[in-house]
Amino acid sequence: MAATALDRATLLAHDRALIHPLQHPAAHEDPLIIDSGEGVWIKAIDGRRYLDGLAGLWNVNIGYGRLELADAAHAQMAKLAYTNNYAGVSNPPAIELAHLLAGYAYHGLNTTFFTAGGAESNESAFKTARYYWKRLGKPEKYKVIAREEAYHGLTLAAMSATGISRFWPMFEPRVPGFLHAAAPNPYRFGGEFAAGESVGEAAARSVEEMILREGAETVAAVIAEPVQGSGGVIVPPEDYFPRLREICNRHEVLLIADEVITGFGRTGARFALDRWGVTPDILSFAKGVTSGYLPLGGIQISDAIREVIEGAEPAQAWLHGYTYSGHATSCAVALANLEIMEREGLPARSATMGERLRLGLEDLTTRFPEADNVRGLGLLCGIEFVKDRESREPDPELCARIQQGCRERGLLIRNIGATLAFSPPLVISSEEVDHLVGVVGESIEAAR
């Protein structure tokens, strides 16, 4: 029987057969059961419409109901839904997508390995960094430095890189060799300052000090999100990433850019590190590559890393892979998705609508003293709630009430501690941005 033929009570009863991500009964007492979507709007099984202010999970970049992607999937499935993509086999959509992506994000990143999602992408990045140094005769370079409040996924190694400690206790011990430096948070920097330092300089120095303390000969890579999404939409100072790139170069440490959230137009450009003129050695991507219509992710590697992989003897081959790497239908959908993004100029639209959203949120800070610290790049924004602006004491309880009030008024957003996070589809209109801001304002007023 089709799911839409069942009433909500029956579906809720059947839903007990599911374990959901981040499962706990208290978080699932009154779940939304989403039935359909169009543009930035989704509809629950009970008929209520919601503006999806988080684009699913930061990923439905081109919006809901795009039939071109359904048509691309249908055409590819009818012809060849799947074949393995291990060495010795390939398929046209995977080939063409890798060709399109060569140099698409950053000059010098011309080679792609496909995964099924962001955590797999970061696992692949970690393994590739270790492989690279082993092939160069430095097997002791295996450690990875991440940042506090970083999110890199919840598989075991990715969870160990994730710097949000609440994800750790029930799954420890973590994988050894993962370390956490200070986050470059201009509003709540948790590190120490040297005389005359900016936040960006101090945060970058915390990474360098960790490299020196551990020994550069033991550190394989630094992994960093250009904007820390699930850690609270932390936008770094302008001087941070250029300094971090220089530190990695000086100590012969690879820089991994986790652009799972920030890639494919989300921040107002194709990829976010380009804003600071920085090119990573390894790029992790997922989410926006298909706008969430099918699972797909991957890593792109520098030409130097590719040469090391391709120059290996058989005994030192890059023996890494997944069943669904280079999935033909997912890659066909990605090709159609990226064509739409370029044709409709969605990265530029993200910049324009993101500025409108930030200005709207800034206006809320003039009306409500509890609202502070609006930040963001493109359509990736946050606003923080505090008990008073002088102490900056966070008020997560107020933030949670506001988030719940937004849901009651037909707006889905996410509260991360004391921060409301916004990441709507890039197709959002100016009128819909203004509606979103208006609902947030009403919900703040009610929650006060």
Side-chain angles (χ1 to χ4, degrees), residues 359-370:
L359 289 173
L361 296 175
E362 288 281 5
D363 181 64
L364 295 180
T365 67
T366 68
R367 296 167 50 197
F368 303 108
E370 301 90 344

Side-chain angles (χ1 to χ4, degrees), residues 139-383:
E140 67 279 6
K141 284 177 76 72
Y142 72 93
K143 297 173 185 175
V144 174
I145 297 175
R147 285 96 52 83
E148 295 167 357
E149 303 307 318
Y151 184 87
H152 300 297
L154 294 180
T155 54
L156 196 56
M159 181 201 76
S160 301
T162 289
I164 304 172
S165 60
R166 68 178 180 273
F167 289 118
W168 301 341
M170 299 307 295
F171 301 100
E172 289 182 303
R174 285 169 278 153
V175 175
F178 287 90
L179 308 159
H180 298 91
N185 187 339
Y187 191 71
R188 297 190 184 282
F189 182 61
E192 298 180 354
F193 289 99
E197 273 188 329
S198 67
V199 170
E201 290 168 337
R205 178 175 52 79
S206 76
V207 174
E208 183 168 32
E209 288 178 348
M210 190 165 284
I211 292 172
L212 294 173
R213 184 166 61 249
E214 298 295 321
E217 71 281 1
T218 73
V219 179
V222 171
I223 184 168
E225 304 159 90
V227 177
Q228 292 179 236
S230 295
V233 192
I234 299 171
V235 180
E238 295 293 319
D239 57 353
Y240 175 73
F241 272 105
R243 183 67 62 93
L244 186 63
R245 175 73 273 185
E246 187 274 327
I247 288 168
C248 289
N249 289 346
R250 179 150 36 88
H251 294 291
E252 295 188 311
V253 171
L254 299 179
L255 177 59
I256 302 169
D258 179 346
E259 297 224 32
V260 170
I261 288 175
T262 58
F264 301 101
R266 172 55 58 191
T267 65
R270 281 181 174 178
F271 284 79
L273 281 188
D274 197 46
R275 172 187 177 92
W276 298 289
V278 169
T279 297
D281 301 292
I282 302 176
L283 167 71
S284 298
F285 67 87
K287 293 189 185 293
V289 69
T290 62
S291 287
Y293 278 61
L294 280 177
L296 186 67
I299 61 170
Q300 290 195 296
I301 58 175
S302 70
D303 294 343
I305 296 173
R306 175 181 176 145
E307 289 172 7
V308 166
I309 292 174
E310 293 193 337
E313 297 293 327
Q316 293 187 338
W318 190 78
L319 297 180
H320 175 66
Y322 302 109
T323 298
Y324 293 113
S325 177
H327 190 282
T329 304
S330 294
C331 290
V333 168
L335 285 164
N337 176 64
L338 297 182
E339 196 280 327
I340 290 171
M341 291 190 67
E342 294 299 320
R343 184 178 75 225
E344 298 185 2
L346 293 186
R349 183 177 185 83
S350 175
T352 301
M353 292 298 104
E355 179 66 12
R356 189 181 188 98
L357 175 56
R358 282 192 300 280
L359 289 173
L361 296 175
E362 288 281 5
D363 181 64
L364 295 180
T365 67
T366 68
R367 296 167 50 197
F368 303 108
E370 301 90 344
D372 199 18
N373 188 30
V374 173
R375 69 269 189 188
L377 292 178
L379 281 169
L380 180 57
C381 300
I383 181 172

Side-chain angles (χ1 to χ4, degrees), residues 100-117:
L100 173 65
L101 291 177
Y104 183 91
Y106 299 103
H107 177 72
L109 270 60
N110 299 306
T111 310
T112 300
F113 169 74
F114 290 115
T115 71

Side-chain angles (χ1 to χ4, degrees), residues 413-430:
I413 51 177
R414 183 174 179 181
N415 58 308
I416 303 171
T419 294
L420 287 182
F422 304 87
S423 175
L426 309 188
V427 296
I428 192 169
S429 68
S430 56

Side-chain angles (χ1 to χ4, degrees), residues 66-78 293 329 332-333 336:
R66 302 299 292 254
L67 295 182
E68 288 176 71
L69 298 197
D71 291 342
H74 177 270
Q76 185 59 45
M77 284 184 171
Y293 278 61
T329 304
V333 168

